[in-house]
């Protein structure tokens, strides 16, 4: 529908400005311009486990699985428990089981399918994660055959709901310092599980407040007077009627900021006895006489091997954070393409929100980062599947997988929270209504930044790994070589810090804005910038920390602490680089030229937004001249407008059904209202008795008076 | 309690590392070092309406007024309505009334007292804001004596709950385009209030879903065939039994992201008739025969004058956003001073979170900005009081007040949301528990970014005002002068953009890191940087927009839109400068040297954090040399550590009682648990039969073997 009427601002019938044709054309790519092949991109985003994802999304369309908008904590919990039973009955977690337990051992597919639950209700996703991803998985990964036979069938069918009792009130991030004890009693061949003080209560455990019948409890294994560190024990906590077993205590965590469909709570044990064989003994066992044995000699490595099985949670949070970002962007970009406010470019027609530069700047860089995150997640999922299927299960592959997950989980959950909040605010008052989903998504995803490894702690792990790699690289050079290498790097760094060096670069760039702008959009140049940044940030920290080796532990710790901000920064730069590379590699796999062109613009927006956000660093480090630095913001703005016509295609490729979206503002409600308003004003204009505007009359009267004055002057 | 025990990490009894002395000393300023006079700062933060604030805070301690943690929407609404009646009975809003209505006409005090309600329940604050700040205020500000007599007493006592019916589904930000009509019928001397289509329904109105008996309805005044633009009408909507009156329709907005104690809803009117005298006629009236008259000739100015009375809402949101930030920081900084995790600096003692550099970097810059915001708010409150008391009510003062409020409200609500979220994440899992307040604060404050003027729209208003001022400044120079002025500014800008200019600056700074660092902390230098930035950003936009004057409206609008990001940026730079100046002026008013020293550090942290966040701009603009630019991050880090010992004093000065804080993690729960754990480990160490650590035994065995080997080699 295109209106042919004239300006309403100058329409003396007083029709409010800008409501003339609210259903005007939505910008689409011009004929002949590159255009996204939406189906091909959708398929690529579904990735290699597309079939399982499709089935999971089909399930997520059912209203029976959807998040309620107004429920008490108790109601929401009861509802989610029922939903979980539905999933158990449909055997949705079967892919996680190895062949020996009747499953296909499809770990990647299992996680892929699990991630899609976030579209139904994040509470359901996390409740399923607690039951199968943590509780069942602990039995599977840390236990042995007998444990699998004894408990896994019931855990899978939900006949045995369980809690994963690791975190204590006093220790969340520092698992090695947990204080719950499991002391072996040779006389009865039992473990005595005990909570020595209040801070050692297990806390924040999903299923613990109500539903758990058992728990996989992490406790210090003590036998024959020796503390062998943290191990995992299977401990029944409630009877068939849901009553707590003797010696077990539980408290309810009560209402939370979100995820209120999950009954988080606390557990404590007062000398609770379980059989010797309840130790999940894959990585450490105790003979009836109390002799401890382990296939892993070093207590440290043993601990980290056990903890390493938790990586699955991080992998799945990375994926569901990206999915939640996609949903939020679908809602906000759809609404912004329909919602109009204020007349700007046209006197007759109000402008759609997405045609405002600041609105594009709020949403499109997040869209670009979400695309990058989706492609990077697919790589993470493959790395995870390789290790957990056993195909590529080497210590090095495990370590790489853990570093990759530790880099991506914190940065994608950060992206999700920032994106959802930006989308919520970009939708104004409508964004605050629960029915439009954005507030609920933020509430539920909020704790994704904390659980399965606090974001700061994970980034620190990444930084430590990067520093270790860097030092090993140095070590691999011979003695004479090291001297040369360090001298050379120091020289490079020093040169970057001299103004003369920058000046030369600037002079070289001078007067070639066009070429300089070209090079910013050059993939190799972006890669060089981002890779150099990631490397130099590690290098700089490594150089700064060199004295630590010769210092007392306290001084060394203080020195490390004085560079913590830079360490976290280096880890983020590393994650940025991984995502940029994953995005770039994904583009290479498309054959359609239009798709490649649009996605390359989007990748450039991602890359240059990263450069822009850290521009001062690039300038001070001498990697970008002032001349080029000044081009960055301009280039980002150009990309926003270039991508504008593709915005709806880019969210369409997320392939979300109306039952996934559910937000009325993104399902045509806004467009319908505008059509009705437009029809009303058309009828008004056609009528002769609609009111005239005082302002227009006054302006006309003034003009007439001026005209009269002019005529009088002539006479 | 200071522990005298030795390292637990090397304690062969296997006591977990780091739990040795969790109650070790919290860093306080060293003897002789500058120290904050907490009482004096608390008094200054209470400001000039301290007595009314204290009374309001005293009320806010009552649990009867507190936000429930788990309630359905219906329960929460009922509760807040009861609480509102309590406030009405206590006549808390009396200060807003002029002497003619029996009040003291203390507008500043009224808003100050209202802001403190955010400590009890933001829903209660906003419900009170709807009833008295919007509905009653519209009658007071837009109506005349007869209206005041007729409705204000009942509105004050809550005998007449009301809605403020301005926003429509189709138009929130663009109030001038509202579509509801009020057509005068001379025959009956009545207004016919009508909603012509769905998008013209009034929406998001507090009190509209259930409680409102009347509404102040904004509608296009049409009489004798002329549309005089938007005016405000008093329209009864429900009878004494709460039933909707004939022709009035209402819908419930349902659950929201927060503020669920308020019954937001929609209202529509199907040819609803009200008497002629229900027009709130201070700025426009209609005689019985339908003749329109107004004291303000220009329809545009008339509209903005009416809308200008809404500034009170923005003023109060600025204040309550700052108060909410203070509460969040009190909780997170208190917890971070007690919570310990990981051993770092000491092998025996875990480190408190606030001693980690990254934790300081998360919280202290927000603390600094919150201080700046509090002092700036006090200035805003005075500007508001001057105008609304009538003492300084000039058009210029009103315009300045509106610009000031439009600059501060969006930036302080942004600060509050970012601060609360940062605090929530900094408290880990505990931060996600509803009882610890942070998630609820974020949920409730979320929409503060949207209502009472969307943040983006308000910043745009500020930018327009700054551009207008800039152009007027140019106009005040004579013709020849303009040429000189523009040439000179262009020259300055151009010189800044040449590398040679920067080089000279850099060379001058070279080798004087000490002095360069001094100057960053120099107040005049910070002021120069921030003021120059605010000015140059406006200048650059103004120069870029100069062609608009000669362009078609469409082209001009497109040009403006292409610089929207920079306009918003200029507005933010202006708000930053206002806050920095307010902070600096406030420091001058303290006499105590220690207080001045600590607050100056905090002000420097605020100023340099602003510079750091926009560092690329300062570098590219040539305002900072690379040499100095590199000092900024280092100086910020130094300030974090300098301020570390004062962190608890700085939050103590917020003067929040335990009944305001309520979060168990900030009320000693964490400290008590740690004491208990420490006592347990002391007892263990005193005992001879506590378990030995495998790791320590292994290390000892290895060491013994090495020793044996050394001895064997000697033999």
């Amino acid at each position: 529908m295109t209106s042919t009427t004239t300006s309403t601002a100058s329409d003396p019938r007083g029709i409010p400005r800008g409501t003339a044709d609210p259903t005007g054309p939505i910008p689409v790519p011009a004929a002949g311009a590159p255009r996204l092949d939406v189906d091909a991109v959708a398929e690529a985003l579904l990735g290699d486990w597309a079939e399982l994802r499709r089935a999971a999304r089909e399930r997520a369309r059912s209203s029976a699985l959807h998040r309620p908008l107004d429920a008490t904590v108790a109601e929401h919990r009861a509802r989610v428990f029922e939903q979980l039973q539905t999933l158990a009955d449909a055997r949705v977690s079967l892919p996680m089981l190895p062949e020996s337990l009747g499953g296909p051992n499809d770990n990647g597919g299992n996680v892929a399918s699990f991630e899609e639950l976030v579209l139904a209700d994040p509470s359901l996703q996390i409740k399923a994660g607690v039951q199968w991803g943590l509780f069942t998985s602990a039995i599977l990964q840390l236990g042995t055959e007998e444990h699998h036979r004894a408990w896994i069938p019931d855990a899978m069918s939900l006949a045995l709901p369980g809690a994963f009792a690791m975190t204590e009130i006093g220790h969340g991030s520092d698992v090695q310092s947990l204080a719950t004890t499991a002391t072996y009693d040779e006389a009865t061949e039992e473990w005595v599980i005990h909570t020595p003080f209040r801070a050692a209560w297990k806390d924040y455990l999903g299923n613990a407040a109500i539903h758990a019948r058992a728990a996989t409890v992490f406790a210090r294994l003590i036998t024959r007077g020796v503390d062998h560190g943290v191990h995992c024990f299977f401990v029944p906590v409630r009877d068939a009627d849901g009553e707590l077993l003797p010696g077990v205590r539980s408290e309810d965590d009560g209402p939370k900021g979100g995820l209120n469909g999950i009954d988080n709570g606390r557990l404590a044990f007062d000398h609770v006895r379980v059989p010797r064989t309840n130790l999940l003994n894959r990585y450490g066992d105790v003979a009836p006489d109390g002799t401890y044995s382990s296939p892993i000699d070093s207590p440290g490595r043993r601990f980290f091997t056990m903890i390493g099985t938790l990586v699955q949670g991080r992998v799945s949070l990375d994926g569901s954070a990206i999915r939640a970002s996609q949903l939020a962007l679908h809602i906000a970009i759809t609404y912004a393409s329909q919602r109009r406010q204020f007349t700007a470019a046209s006197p007759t027609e109000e402008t759609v929100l997405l045609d405002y530069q600041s609105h594009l700047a709020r949403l499109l860089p997040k869209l670009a980062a979400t695309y990058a995150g989706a492609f990077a997640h697919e790589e993470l999922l493959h790395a995870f599947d390789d290790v957990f299927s056993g195909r590529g299960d080497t210590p090095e592959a495990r370590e790489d997988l853990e570093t990759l997950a530790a880099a991506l989980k914190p940065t994608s959950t950060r992206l999700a929270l920032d994106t959802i909040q930006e989308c919520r605010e970009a939708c104004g008052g409508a964004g605050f209504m629960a029915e439009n989903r954005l507030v609920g998504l933020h509430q539920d995803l909020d704790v994704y930044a904390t659980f399965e490894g606090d974001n700061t702690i994970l980034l620190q792990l990444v930084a430590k790994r990067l520093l270790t790699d860097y030092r090993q690289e140095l070590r691999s050079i011979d003695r004479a070589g090291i001297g040369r290498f360090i001298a050379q790097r120091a020289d490079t760094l020093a040169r970057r810090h001299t103004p003369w060096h920058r000046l030369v670069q600037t002079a070289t760039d001078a007067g070639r804005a066009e070429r300089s702008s070209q090079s910013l959009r050059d993939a190799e140049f972006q890669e060089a910038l981002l890779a150099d940044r990631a490397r130099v940030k590690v290098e700089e920290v490594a150089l700064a920390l060199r004295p630590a080796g010769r210092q007392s532990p306290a001084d060394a710790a203080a020195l490390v602490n004085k560079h913590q901000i830079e360490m976290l920064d280096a880890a983020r730069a590393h994650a940025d680089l991984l995502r940029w590379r994953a995005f770039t590699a994904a583009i290479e796999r498309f054959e359609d030229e239009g798709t490649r062109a649009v996605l390359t613009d989007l990748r450039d927006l991602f890359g240059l937004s990263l450069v822009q956000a850290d521009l001062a660093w690039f300038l001070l480090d001498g990697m970008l001249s002032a001349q080029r630095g000044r081009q960055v913001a301009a280039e980002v703005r150009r990309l926003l407008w270039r991508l504008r016509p593709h915005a709806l295609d880019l969210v369409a490729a997320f392939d979300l059904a109306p039952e996934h979206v559910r937000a009325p503002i993104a399902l045509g409600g806004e467009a319908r209202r505008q059509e009705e308003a437009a029809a009303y004003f058309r009828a008004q204009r056609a009528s002769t008795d609609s009111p005239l505007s005082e302002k227009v009359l006054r302006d006309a009267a003034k003009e007439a008076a001026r005209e009269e004055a002019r005529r009088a002057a002539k006479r």
Side-chain angles (χ1 to χ4, degrees), chain A:
Chain A
M1 257 178 293
T2 311
S3 166
T4 54
T5 57
T6 52
S7 161
T8 51
S10 59
D11 185 329
R13 281 160 299 186
I15 293 167
R17 321 178 271 133
T19 25
D21 184 17
T23 56
I26 288 169
V28 289
R35 178 131 198 204
L36 202 73
D37 179 341
V38 172
D39 290 340
V41 176
E43 197 61 37
L45 287 171
L46 280 171
D48 284 338
W49 286 275
E51 280 321 305
L52 279 166
R53 283 201 194 275
R54 279 210 186 84
R57 287 199 191 183
E58 194 53 41
R59 264 194 304 276
R61 293 171 71 165
S62 160
S63 63
L65 298 185
H66 293 169
R67 186 187 196 274
L69 298 182
D70 181 23
T72 59
V73 168
E75 288 161 0
H76 194 184
R77 286 173 173 182
R79 176 183 169 89
V80 168
F81 189 68
E82 268 179 47
Q83 293 169 339
L84 194 67
Q85 189 62 62
T86 310
L87 296 185
D89 295 347
R91 305 185 72 193
V92 300
S93 288
L94 187 68
M96 74 184 269
L97 293 187
E99 290 82 354
S100 62
L101 291 163
N105 196 26
D106 182 1
N107 290 280
N110 180 59
V111 167
S113 151
F114 167 77
E115 288 165 3
E116 304 295 330
L117 282 174
V118 79
L119 296 170
D121 182 350
S123 281
L124 179 58
Q125 189 209 13
I126 300 304
K127 183 93 170 176
V130 168
Q131 178 65 22
W132 297 309
L134 292 173
F135 171 69
T136 311
S137 212
I139 302 170
L140 187 62
Q141 303 287 340
L142 303 178
T144 46
E145 226 185 300
E146 202 174 325
H147 302 129
H148 299 170
R149 271 201 307 273
W151 300 312
I152 284 185
D154 281 356
M156 294 299 288
S157 73
L158 207 54
L160 179 68
F164 181 80
M166 189 165 79
T167 296
E168 293 174 1
I169 299 176
H171 289 97
S173 295
D174 185 5
V175 176
Q176 252 181 316
S177 296
L178 294 178
T180 302
T181 52
T183 310
Y184 187 62
D185 179 353
E186 295 153 37
T188 61
E189 296 189 12
E190 285 174 323
W191 295 103
V192 183
I193 313 287
H194 187 63
T195 306
F197 44 76
R198 178 72 195 175
W201 276 60
K202 299 293 177 181
D203 201 359
Y204 311 129
L205 322 174
N207 272 345
I210 303 175
H211 296 133
R213 298 286 158 87
T216 46
V217 178
F218 288 77
R220 318 191 70 79
L221 186 158
I222 296 162
T223 179
R224 293 185 157 188
V226 176
D227 176 340
H228 293 277
V230 173
H231 287 63
C232 187
F233 301 81
F234 182 94
V235 183
V237 296
R238 286 190 178 86
D239 65 19
D241 299 326
E243 296 299 320
L244 287 171
L245 294 173
V248 179
R249 284 192 284 168
S250 174
E251 287 175 355
D252 196 322
D253 277 331
K256 306 184 295 292
L259 295 184
N260 276 311
I262 304 163
D263 55 321
N264 290 77
R266 292 180 276 267
L267 287 176
F269 306 93
D270 182 8
H271 300 94
V272 170
R273 287 176 170 263
V274 297
R276 178 183 68 90
T277 51
N278 277 27
L279 165 64
L280 299 174
N281 61 349
R282 179 165 168 195
Y283 296 110
D285 202 3
V286 161
D289 69 353
T291 314
Y292 180 82
S293 64
S294 168
I296 303 175
D297 229 38
S298 150
R301 204 156 59 75
R302 189 191 308 144
F303 170 76
F304 285 109
T305 303
M306 287 195 263
I307 294 303
T309 60
L310 291 175
V311 75
Q312 174 172 326
R314 291 170 192 168
V315 173
S316 64
L317 291 192
D318 180 56
S320 44
I322 294 298
R323 187 71 67 251
S325 286
Q326 291 176 341
L327 175 56
L329 287 163
H330 178 110
I331 293 168
I333 288 178
T334 304
Y335 182 63
S337 305
Q338 296 174 359
R339 175 73 170 180
R340 289 168 185 274
Q341 204 84 167
F342 291 106
T343 51
S346 149
T348 57
E349 194 174 275
E350 288 175 300
T351 305
V352 293
L353 298 186
L354 202 55
D355 282 337
Y356 288 105
Q357 189 190 41
S358 69
H359 217 83
L360 282 176
R362 298 176 95 154
L363 299 178
L364 293 202
K366 299 272 193 282
L367 181 66
T370 298
Y371 261 83
F375 291 125
H377 175 67
E378 183 73 8
E379 293 188 3
L380 173 60
L381 204 52
H382 274 279
F384 165 72
D385 190 61
D386 283 351
V387 167
F388 275 66
S389 68
R391 277 194 309 279
D393 189 2
T394 64
E396 295 71 32
R398 275 197 181 251
E399 210 183 334
D400 285 350
L401 167 64
E402 281 162 26
T403 306
L404 188 58
L408 295 185
K409 180 267 183 184
T411 44
S412 61
T413 53
R414 172 85 280 128
L415 172 69
L417 287 176
D418 292 347
T419 299
I420 295 164
Q421 185 65 25
E422 195 70 62
C423 289
R424 153 23 229 139
E425 294 178 29
C427 291
F432 192 57
M433 300 298 115
E435 63 177 10
N436 289 322
R437 307 286 306 281
L438 299 165
V439 290
L441 277 178
H442 193 277
Q443 288 165 14
D444 290 332
L445 273 282
D446 190 357
V447 77
Y448 286 36
T450 299
F451 63 18
E452 301 289 331
D454 177 88
N455 281 0
T456 302
I457 304 286
L458 291 181
L459 288 174
Q460 200 142 320
L461 287 180
V462 174
K464 280 185 186 159
R465 168 70 190 275
L466 294 172
L467 287 169
T468 305
D469 285 358
Y470 178 75
R471 284 190 202 110
Q472 271 170 357
E473 206 180 304
L474 285 193
R475 244 176 255 133
S476 70
I477 309 174
D478 63 59
R479 259 171 179 273
I482 280 196
R484 269 201 310 278
F485 177 81
I486 289 179
Q488 179 206 326
R489 292 304 304 170
D491 186 50
T492 306
L493 293 177
R495 247 190 314 124
R496 281 183 174 147
H497 287 193
T498 61
W500 296 276
H501 179 67
R502 279 203 324 287
L503 176 62
V504 171
Q505 237 190 306
T506 311
T508 317
D509 282 337
R512 298 195 312 195
E514 185 55 31
R515 187 167 148 198
S516 152
S517 146
Q518 270 305 101
S519 69
L520 281 176
R521 299 209 44 212
D522 187 90
E524 278 169 36
F525 186 62
Q526 285 174 37
E527 155 114 37
L529 282 179
L530 296 173
D532 254 29
R533 178 179 70 144
R535 183 182 174 84
V536 170
K537 287 197 172 189
V538 171
E539 238 169 43
E540 287 179 340
V541 176
L543 286 173
L545 296 186
R546 287 184 78 208
R550 300 182 302 273
Q551 288 175 329
S552 73
D555 288 349
L559 183 64
V560 170
N561 195 19
K562 285 214 163 119
H563 294 276
Q564 200 194 5
I565 297 172
E566 292 147 282
M567 285 173 72
L568 299 175
D569 202 32
R572 282 189 204 99
H574 178 69
D576 287 342
L577 175 64
L578 293 175
R579 284 211 176 82
W580 187 92
R581 284 181 172 158
F583 199 161
T584 303
I587 293 173
E588 294 301 311
R589 293 191 293 271
F590 289 100
E591 286 174 15
D592 175 57
E593 277 307 313
T595 301
R596 290 168 69 113
V598 176
L599 289 183
T600 300
D601 280 354
L602 194 66
R603 193 274 324 273
D604 288 350
L605 178 60
F606 175 63
L608 295 182
S609 297
L610 293 175
V611 172
Q612 189 179 23
D614 209 6
L615 186 55
W617 188 88
F618 285 105
L619 292 169
L620 290 177
D621 203 75
M623 278 193 200
L624 276 179
S625 65
Q627 183 81 1
R628 269 190 194 156
R630 221 170 269 122
Q631 293 288 332
V632 176
E635 191 59 51
V636 165
R637 285 196 295 265
R638 265 195 294 276
L639 284 166
L640 294 176
W641 292 110
R642 280 170 67 94
L643 285 162
R644 167 66 187 93
H646 306 284
L648 286 174
D649 281 351
L650 286 164
V651 295
F654 295 153
D655 206 18
L656 299 171
E659 296 84 356
H660 299 134
V661 175
R662 305 202 284 284
I665 49 165
L667 293 175
E670 180 62 25
R672 273 193 301 280
R673 278 192 295 267
Q674 295 201 15
E675 275 171 43
E676 194 203 338
Y680 169 85
F681 287 116
R682 275 195 301 275
Q684 282 246 329
R685 280 187 295 266
S687 143
T688 49
D689 61 352
S690 53
L692 305 167
S693 156
E694 176 192 344
K695 185 176 184 312
V696 175
L697 291 174
R698 276 179 187 273
D699 291 350
K702 268 187 218 153
E703 184 51 37
R706 270 195 295 268
E707 184 61 21
E708 179 58 30
R710 275 194 292 272
R711 267 187 227 147
K714 271 189 189 171
R715 266 180 247 143

